[in-house]
């Protein structure tokens, strides 16, 4: 009763915990009935005299229940593979190896049945199984710890680089990625364009409709950017309601066309926000540097002057830095403030 019924029921409960723990790792709940399922099936099977009296049948019942839960656990790790954790793969392989080991065990007792309980402990297969299980437990625990650590590190990395409201790169990430992109453009002798976008009268939107609607507008703008830009273009939230885009290719004409597409798409997308006639718009400044003279800070400064022009001319429009001498002449104070930020 103690070493066969209770011990195996506890063992199966352990496998259920392994399965439920894996689900908890990916924020899935497990009904309590699932924990009790395998032990209850086992205890019920032991009420059948033919099974209770036959060591081979008992091995098959316990192994098949263990096998099911290990396979389900492997499936849980597999289905969450979108979360890029390297330790996930050795865990899946380890679990599948365990499934294989249990299948071999079932096959062995089916093909060469043991004559008695005593035979079980004498069998080399049993010794190998025991050794394999201990090894599995240690390796599994080690890999789980490593996966947890990996997830924590990944989350910290993401938090440091992604703006939590919009999901876009934050200022630091944008500048970092832009520097790499600029080095590439310089080596290829290609022109470089920067778009600086600032939502119009955003303070008034917050005042009139509340901060939550303001946040919603920022999300709509980020979604608009994602829709409009190409896969290799960079986009980031520099702060507040100010965003920057660095197209992956092309000069002024491409940049102006992209800016105009973003402006138009945003005006349409933000006309109505959750039933409120918000009619948010954006102004965009565009600056292009010629081949061989790429400098992100300088370009952002020029794009900022062009942006100021767009605001001056009535907002909800695009302006290019080369638009005229006036662009260079306006409010150096504002430019200096931005350069500092
Ligand atoms: P302009 O057309 O000249 O750009 O005017 P503006 O009102 O958009 O510019 P201003 O810089 O005066 O206001 C920016 C506002 O953006 C002020 C600030 O409260 C708001 N803001 C900054 N970050 C957030 C945010 O994360 N959520 C919300 N809802 N508002 C924000
Ligand atoms: Mg602003
Ligand atoms: Mg603004």
């Amino acid at each position: 009763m103690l070493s066969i019924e209770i011990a195996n029921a506890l063992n199966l409960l352990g496998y259920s915990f392994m399965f439920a723990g894996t689900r908890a790792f990916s924020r899935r709940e497990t009904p309590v009935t699932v924990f009790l399922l395998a032990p209850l099936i086992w205890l019920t099977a032991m009420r059948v005299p033919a099974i209770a009296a036959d060591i081979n049948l008992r091995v098959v019942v316990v192994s098949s229940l263990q096998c099911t839960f290990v396979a389900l656990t492997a499936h849980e790790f597999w289905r969450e593979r979108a979360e890029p954790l390297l330790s996930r793969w050795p865990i899946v392989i380890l679990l599948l190896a365990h499934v294989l080991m249990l299948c071999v065990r079932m096959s062995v007792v089916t093909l060469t049945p043991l004559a008695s309980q005593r035979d079980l402990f004498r069998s080399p297969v049993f010794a190998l199984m025991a050794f394999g299980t201990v090894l599995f437990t240690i390796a599994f625990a080690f890999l789980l710890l490593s996966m947890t650590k990996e997830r924590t590190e990944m989350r910290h990395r993401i938090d440091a680089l992604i703006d939590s409201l919009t999901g876009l790169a934050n200022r630091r990430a944008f500048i970092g990625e832009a520097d790499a992109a600029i080095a590439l453009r310089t080596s290829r002798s290609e022109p470089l364009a920067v778009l600086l976008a600032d939502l119009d009268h955003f303070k008034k939107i917050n005042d009139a409709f509340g901060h939550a609607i303001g946040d919603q507008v920022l999300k709509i703008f980020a979604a608009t950017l994602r829709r409009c830009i190409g896969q290799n273009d960079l986009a980031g939230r520099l702060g507040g309601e100010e965003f920057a885009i660095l197209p992956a290719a092309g000069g002024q004409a491409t940049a102006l066309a992209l800016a105009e597409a973003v402006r138009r798409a945003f005006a349409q997308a933000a006309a109505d926000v959750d039933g409120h006639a918000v009619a948010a718009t954006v102004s965009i400044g565009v600056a292009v540097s010629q081949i061989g003279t790429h400098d992100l800070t300088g370009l952002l400064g020029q794009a900022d002057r062009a942006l100021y022009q767009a605001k001056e001319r009535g907002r909800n429009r695009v302006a290019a830095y080369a638009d005229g001498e006036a662009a260079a002449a306006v409010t150096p104070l504002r430019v200096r403030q931005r350069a500092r930020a």
Side-chain angles (χ1 to χ4, degrees):
M1 172 84 180
L2 195 66
S3 67
I4 296 178
E5 287 197 39
I6 307 286
N8 278 305
L10 285 176
N11 175 294
L12 290 168
L13 190 65
Y15 278 86
S16 315
F17 266 100
M18 181 174 79
F19 171 64
T22 305
R23 287 173 62 83
F25 190 71
S26 33
R27 308 237 176 286
R28 287 179 209 278
E29 295 199 351
T30 306
V32 71
T33 42
V34 172
F35 284 86
L36 301 177
L37 196 65
L40 282 180
I41 292 176
W42 162 247
L43 292 174
T44 310
M46 283 300 283
R47 306 276 81 75
V48 179
I51 297 175
D54 185 343
I55 170 74
N56 299 298
L57 280 178
R58 295 202 309 262
V59 167
V60 169
V61 171
V62 172
S63 298
S64 55
L65 287 169
Q66 291 170 334
C67 202
T68 307
F69 273 83
V70 178
L72 286 172
T73 307
H75 175 252
E76 288 294 326
F77 280 111
W78 166 259
R79 77 201 280 198
E80 293 297 325
R81 64 192 177 283
E83 188 185 17
L85 300 173
L86 272 183
S87 326
R88 178 182 307 283
W89 303 111
I91 288 183
V92 171
I93 291 170
L94 190 72
L95 289 167
L96 293 180
H98 199 56
V99 167
L100 188 72
M101 187 176 88
L102 291 165
C103 291
V104 168
R105 185 189 197 197
M106 284 188 276
S107 316
V108 168
V109 293
T110 311
L111 296 174
T112 56
L114 300 161
S116 71
Q117 171 94 24
R118 202 169 297 164
D119 273 3
L120 175 71
F121 297 112
R122 287 201 192 118
S123 125
V125 175
F126 179 80
L128 279 175
M129 281 289 309
F131 183 65
T133 307
V134 170
L135 218 58
F136 165 79
T137 310
I138 295 169
F140 190 57
F142 177 78
L143 285 170
L144 286 181
L145 281 176
S146 136
M147 193 164 158
T148 312
K149 188 164 166 273
E150 218 185 309
R151 175 186 270 180
T152 311
E153 282 169 1
M154 190 181 76
R155 295 209 166 152
H156 284 157
R157 254 198 328 272
I158 290 175
D159 286 351
L161 298 174
I162 302 286
D163 169 53
S164 57
L165 181 69
T166 60
L168 292 175
N170 62 18
R171 171 181 277 272
R172 189 202 308 193
F174 178 81
I175 303 277
E177 288 178 37
D179 279 341
I182 289 170
L184 187 72
R185 302 290 280 278
T186 308
S187 71
R188 289 184 183 167
S189 300
E190 290 171 353
L192 178 77
V194 167
L195 283 66
L196 198 61
D198 185 293
L199 305 196
D200 297 327
H201 296 307
F202 194 60
K203 198 170 172 324
K204 283 189 192 154
I205 292 176
N206 271 334
D207 292 346
F209 301 99
H211 210 80
I213 293 289
D215 283 357
Q216 201 61 29
V217 172
L218 289 169
K219 285 190 195 174
I220 292 173
F221 185 72
T224 307
L225 273 189
R226 281 195 204 92
R227 260 204 326 275
C228 293
I229 65 174
Q231 213 178 7
N232 297 320
D233 298 348
L234 298 180
R237 182 182 181 196
L238 297 190
E241 24 76 272
E242 194 169 297
F243 300 81
I245 302 134
L246 197 138
Q252 188 168 41
T254 318
L256 284 175
L258 175 62
E260 183 55 25
V262 169
R263 183 198 67 77
R264 219 179 265 237
F266 178 61
Q268 207 165 42
D272 184 281
V273 179
D274 293 349
H276 301 277
V278 175
T281 56
V282 64
S283 298
I284 304 178
V286 175
V288 182
S289 77
Q290 286 320 305
I291 298 160
T293 59
H294 303 334
D295 154 43
L296 186 63
T297 315
L299 261 187
L300 281 173
Q302 291 178 354
D304 189 54
R305 288 193 226 175
L307 173 62
Y308 186 86
Q309 278 289 301
K311 296 271 184 194
E312 282 275 286
R313 291 176 195 161
R315 295 178 170 79
N316 188 22
R317 66 195 62 221
V318 173
Y321 173 65
D323 263 0
E325 289 309 303
V330 291
T331 52
L333 175 67
R334 185 177 144 87
V335 176
R336 276 205 301 280
Q337 277 174 339
R338 261 168 219 289
R340 269 207 307 280

